[in-house]
Amino acid sequence: ERNRIYEEICKAKIGSEYFEEKMVQTFCGAAKTKEVQCESITMAEKGMMVTSWDLDNSLPASGAEPAETEEPKTPAGKSSKSPTAAEHSQAVAAPSATAWNFCNSTSSMTIAESAAPARSHEEQECHSRAILTSAKLQQDLVVMERILMENIFQPKLAVYRQIPVLIEPVVTSDTEVEEDEEDEDEEEKDEEEQEETADPDQSPAEGAGPRLEQLWSYRCDLTRAHSVSSMAWNRVNPDLLAVGYREFVSRDQKKGLACCWSLKNPMWPERIFRCEHGVTAVDFSLASPNLLAVGMANGRVAIYDVRSREDAALLDSSASLNKHKGPVWQLRWVEQDRGPTAGDKEERLMCISGDGRMTQWFIQQRLDCSDVMKFKRTESGKKNLPGERERKSEGPISQQAAGMCFDFHPEDTDVFLAGTEEGHIYCCSCSGKEQILGTYRGHKGPVYKVTWNPSSTEMFLSCSADWSILLWHRDCHTPLLTFTSVTAFVHDIKWAPKSALVFAAVNEKRVEIWDLSVSIFHPVLSCAASPEGNLSSLLFARNAECLLLGDSCGQVGVWQLHSLAVPSTDQVGLCSFP
């Protein structure tokens, strides 16, 4: 249309005196290159294997069947076996035999030709399978996995190990560098203005208390819908963590897990031990760091070798005649004196169970145990005076009290504390005629955890289902202090490893940090650390300022403690007096 209009304009100007037709030369523009990316052409290979019987069966399918021979009709009264009919039948049979022989030869040739590709395909599959199952490839995959995990979690792991975080250099132009310098100058001016407008009487540290920052979580699809029941660090390798999982749905006990997690891979456990019942307690051995003891909800005690990738237990208490009849709520490897010689110690596995017994297990050709203590329910007609020891006239009844927890004295391993379901705490001795050294009554519900103070060894803490935490002295049978902040079960407590006045506790929804040098009425930190589920257990890191929290959703969160003050030596000395 545009060309047509142009031609009409040119025809209209032919008669004009201002119009003259001449030839001119136009300059060509510079050549331009434009790259266009199209979708990649996808190619697919399809193949099919044909066997000899497929060729044979294809004849009836195609309808090319050989014609059947028919005898010629003869008139009535004449014999059908005439020479002409016999010759005709022989003539027809000869081509059929020839065709059958040709088909057999073709089938044999097809088999011979298809055998070679089949063999080569099988050899390729065997070669690929050998590569995938080789130990060298497995080791290389582990190295690649470690590198990927290091790239993903390097900043968090650096904070955990208290080392500088690696920052990749950013290549910038000169203009960007000038802009960054201008931004830094503006930020410095703003900070100076804020300092000038701030109140000079206010201390800079005022209002800055301890806080928690989550670094990562140990969790995977395998641990989902399980509850974390217990955690334990390896005694030699501080980066190896054992976690026990159990699952209770509609009061039915389901299978449990015991997993070994490493800092090198927070996304999948290094070892997975599947158990028939829920795992209630785990602990690593000190004499043999590769041995992991596992207690279960059905009373079974098993020992696994973490160096092996097999799921089977190394030793099991199923064949023991003295095995527990109730859940093993806690177990621990304890070093005790083997004889009168000083320094001659032997490691023993101690367990406390819901059947009212505390046992020690011997590792021989099989796993067997002997009773250390049996807890009986007691009824007291007369209340004891404050500070008075338990009267020996109180007679135990036949029903046994379920044991819930225990803790050995940090200096004297013959003395231990044991908490029971009825709310009593017993101070017991492994040696001597008098096993019960004292009874501490103060809780109105089951005692979930009891722990000695690692620095001031005459003090200990206990927590219970009665929503309270009690501070005790060994020589005083009434609690010194009672800590209650929320109306919820207190499932676990732990003393801070570097302070005799700081401890942590977890209830249904929150984790609390108490500092007795600051306040005995309120925790210095109370944080909802598990929005998805309820908190069930806690553990301090051995070589970092971090706290591990396990919940009912199967995850173990690693949280860093910030601004947690360590009390002075004088404050720690005051803690040793009731």
Side-chain angles (χ1 to χ4, degrees), residues 81-354:
K81 295 182 180 180
S82 62
T84 306
E87 292 176 359
H88 179 73
S89 62
Q90 291 177 2
V92 172
S96 300
T98 305
W100 178 252
N101 294 334
F102 175 76
C103 184
N104 288 339
S105 62
T106 305
S107 301
S108 61
M109 292 174 61
T110 305
I111 295 172
E113 292 176 357
S114 62
R119 284 196 300 269
S120 62
H121 183 67
E122 292 177 357
E123 291 176 358
Q124 291 179 358
E125 288 185 351
C126 295
H127 184 63
S128 301
R129 192 180 302 109
I131 293 176
L132 293 176
T133 57
S134 63
K136 184 65 170 59
L137 179 62
Q138 299 295 331
Q139 183 64 27
D140 294 342
L141 291 176
V142 170
V143 174
M144 292 177 62
E145 183 184 57
R146 294 286 190 263
I147 295 173
L148 291 175
M149 293 299 106
E150 183 70 19
N151 291 338
I152 296 173
F153 294 97
Q154 196 277 330
K156 303 296 184 181
L157 292 174
V159 173
Y160 180 87
R161 298 184 184 276
Q162 299 178 3
I163 59 177
V165 179
L166 295 178
I167 301 175
E168 296 184 2
V170 180
V171 180
T172 57
S173 60
D174 297 338
T175 57
E176 292 179 352
V177 172
E178 293 177 357
E179 292 177 357
D180 293 340
E181 292 178 355
E182 293 177 357
D183 295 339
E184 291 178 358
D185 295 339
E186 292 178 358
E187 291 178 358
E188 290 178 358
K189 291 179 181 178
D190 294 339
E191 292 178 358
E192 291 177 357
E193 292 177 357
Q194 292 177 1
E195 291 177 357
E196 292 176 356
T197 57
D199 188 3
D201 298 333
Q202 183 179 3
S203 175
E206 185 179 352
R211 59 185 180 88
L212 287 175
E213 178 189 359
Q214 187 174 10
L215 300 180
W216 70 83
S217 295
Y218 293 109
R219 61 179 177 179
C220 62
D221 295 338
L222 192 65
T223 62
R224 188 174 300 171
H226 288 74
S227 177
V228 177
S229 58
S230 61
M231 298 180 290
W233 290 107
N234 189 279
R235 307 292 182 88
V236 176
N237 184 3
D239 295 343
L240 188 61
L241 175 69
V243 182
Y245 301 90
R246 58 177 175 172
E247 180 182 10
F248 291 92
V249 179
S250 301
R251 296 184 180 180
D252 294 333
Q253 297 182 4
K254 293 193 175 182
K255 294 184 178 180
L257 295 171
C259 299
C260 295
W261 294 88
S262 174
L263 288 180
K264 299 177 181 178
N265 187 4
M267 299 180 67
W268 190 259
E270 298 293 324
R271 296 289 186 272
I272 301 172
F273 304 107
R274 294 173 173 83
C275 306
E276 293 296 328
H277 294 79
V279 176
T280 53
V282 292
D283 193 30
F284 275 108
S285 171
L286 178 60
S288 301
N290 59 302
L291 297 182
L292 175 66
V294 176
M296 304 179 195
N298 64 335
R300 177 189 171 196
V301 178
I303 297 178
Y304 293 90
D305 187 358
V306 298
R307 295 178 301 182
S308 174
R309 294 185 178 272
E310 297 181 359
D311 200 6
L314 188 65
L315 292 172
D316 194 352
S317 66
S318 300
S320 176
L321 300 177
N322 298 327
K323 60 184 178 181
H324 288 290
K325 305 300 187 297
V328 179
W329 292 118
Q330 188 176 355
L331 55 78
R332 182 178 298 177
W333 298 87
V334 180
E335 285 189 343
Q336 291 183 334
D337 294 333
R338 184 165 50 182
T341 307
D344 189 9
K345 294 186 177 182
E346 181 182 8
E347 191 178 44
R348 297 175 183 175
L349 179 62
M350 298 291 182
C351 300
I352 194 168
S353 173

Side-chain angles (χ1 to χ4, degrees), residues 313-440:
L314 188 65
L315 292 172
D316 194 352
S317 66
S318 300
S320 176
L321 300 177
N322 298 327
K323 60 184 178 181
H324 288 290
K325 305 300 187 297
V328 179
W329 292 118
Q330 188 176 355
L331 55 78
R332 182 178 298 177
W333 298 87
V334 180
E335 285 189 343
Q336 291 183 334
D337 294 333
R338 184 165 50 182
T341 307
D344 189 9
K345 294 186 177 182
E346 181 182 8
E347 191 178 44
R348 297 175 183 175
L349 179 62
M350 298 291 182
C351 300
I352 194 168
S353 173
D355 58 3
R357 295 190 301 151
M358 184 165 179
T359 56
Q360 61 177 356
W361 293 81
F362 306 99
I363 301 177
Q364 297 173 352
Q365 294 182 352
R366 65 174 186 174
L367 202 59
D368 204 354
C369 69
S370 63
D371 291 343
V372 177
M373 187 73 188
K374 288 185 178 181
F375 305 102
K376 304 273 187 177
R377 293 188 183 271
T378 58
E379 290 183 353
S380 176
K382 182 180 178 180
K383 295 184 178 180
N384 296 334
L385 297 176
E388 185 180 359
R389 289 181 176 272
E390 182 183 1
R391 297 176 182 269
K392 294 184 179 180
S393 60
E394 295 178 353
I397 62 178
S398 59
Q399 187 178 3
Q400 294 182 349
M404 302 296 295
C405 58
F406 70 92
D407 190 26
F408 277 80
H409 196 275
E411 296 178 354
D412 187 3
T413 55
D414 287 334
V415 178
F416 65 91
L417 298 169
T420 60
E421 188 180 20
E422 59 183 352
H424 297 167
I425 302 173
Y426 298 99
C427 183
C428 307
S429 175
C430 295
S431 60
K433 297 180 180 180
E434 187 178 1
Q435 289 187 331
I436 298 181
L437 304 178
T439 304
Y440 305 91

